[in-house]
Amino acid sequence: MPTLIDIPFEQRHTCWFCAEPSNQVFDYYRMTHTPHPSLAVPACKECLGLAKKNPLTSIWDCRDAVKDQLMHIYRKDLAIGINWTEQELEESEFECKIFGGFKKSAWMMYQIAQERINAKGWPLSLDGIMLDGEDGHYQAGFEFDGVRFTSLPKAIEHYSNTLSLDARFLQQLVTLLGKAKFGHAIKIARLNIGITHEHQRKIIDELIEDADQ
């Protein structure tokens, strides 16, 4: 049986994937190419089910897959933080039965989803021996607007789906402007929803021309 990872006292009964309360364990069985031994990590019911479907090549790749699935499941909650600020929700005039409930719970749901996506989990060790590979793997991700994505393409996919943007156009903008201007790329894409590919090409050409000056 896989060995249960070392669990810090303050993290007992905590899901290693998302930091929610947990009372179950996910057993990861290594393959010949897996860079760590077989092991077991605490998991909540939802993350356990997702992890079983996406073991991939290491526990860290498995965690990335779980994060991506959680992001898809809770995309509407995460979209709240894109479209609103906490103050805007508090000052909104939603008072009817349906929207009044949204006003009261929306920001809390966004924060819960954000915290689950951003949860890194504690460094893995077995019987006091740290496992290699954690730091380099985590640094490969991408963070924007308070949410950590497993990769830049996943961030592009998320915002394209959430904001109904042309994913190909947004990817071109990010490629041209760079990760540091990811927010500016989104702004340009949002201002030009529904335009033709010819118009998109014109915008890209103008940005290239501006960059060369």
Side-chain angles (χ1 to χ4, degrees):
M1 289 292 293
T3 303
L4 183 64
I5 62 170
D6 300 333
I7 303 175
F9 181 78
E10 66 277 9
Q11 301 289 354
R12 63 194 189 285
H13 310 306
T14 299
C15 177
W16 181 77
F17 294 98
C18 75
E20 284 287 289
S22 70
N23 59 1
Q24 302 190 56
V25 170
F26 170 59
D27 291 325
Y28 189 97
Y29 292 89
R30 75 179 302 274
M31 302 293 286
T32 55
H33 52 263
T34 306
H36 56 73
S38 295
L39 49 79
V41 297
C44 65
K45 183 178 180 180
E46 184 170 36
C47 289
L48 175 62
L50 296 174
K52 286 182 176 180
K53 295 177 182 178
N54 300 278
L56 300 179
T57 61
S58 74
I59 190 64
W60 300 297
D61 286 333
C62 179
R63 178 179 60 188
D64 286 350
V66 169
K67 298 288 189 181
D68 290 344
Q69 290 297 308
L70 289 175
M71 185 167 289
H72 176 72
I73 293 169
Y74 296 103
R75 60 191 181 280
K76 292 183 179 180
D77 295 317
L78 290 168
I80 293 168
I82 299 174
N83 297 314
W84 299 83
T85 66
E86 184 175 14
Q87 183 176 352
E88 287 172 339
L89 280 172
E90 290 177 351
E91 295 176 353
S92 67
E93 298 181 355
F94 294 148
E95 300 299 342
C96 67
K97 186 173 182 180
I98 296 177
F99 290 105
F102 171 79
K103 176 179 178 179
K104 292 179 180 178
S105 64
W107 194 254
M108 179 187 69
M109 295 303 297
Y110 162 69
Q111 288 181 311
I112 292 173
Q114 181 190 44
E115 289 171 1
R116 292 188 72 189
I117 297 298
N118 289 346
K120 182 181 177 181
W122 56 93
L124 296 180
S125 65
L126 292 172
D127 297 325
I129 300 176
M130 299 298 297
L131 302 183
D132 294 331
E134 167 76 11
D135 290 340
H137 189 93
Y138 191 73
Q139 290 170 0
F142 174 70
E143 186 169 338
F144 177 74
D145 200 23
V147 176
R148 184 163 188 84
F149 299 86
T150 55
S151 66
L152 179 59
K154 182 55 62 174
I156 292 173
E157 178 186 336
H158 172 71
Y159 280 95
S160 298
N161 292 336
T162 302
L163 301 175
S164 300
L165 304 177
D166 185 313
R168 178 176 171 275
F169 183 43
L170 178 56
Q171 182 173 337
Q172 290 177 322
L173 291 169
V174 173
T175 300
L176 181 60
L177 298 173
K179 291 192 293 186
K181 293 186 177 181
F182 188 81
H184 186 51
I186 290 176
K187 183 177 180 180
I188 294 175
R190 293 189 75 175
L191 290 172
N192 293 280
I193 291 178
I195 64 174
T196 63
H197 290 307
E198 182 180 355
H199 193 175
Q200 290 177 356
R201 184 68 255 174
K202 183 178 180 180
I203 293 173
I204 295 295
D205 289 342
E206 290 176 351
L207 289 172
I208 293 174
E209 185 177 337
D210 290 342
D212 291 338
Q213 292 179 354

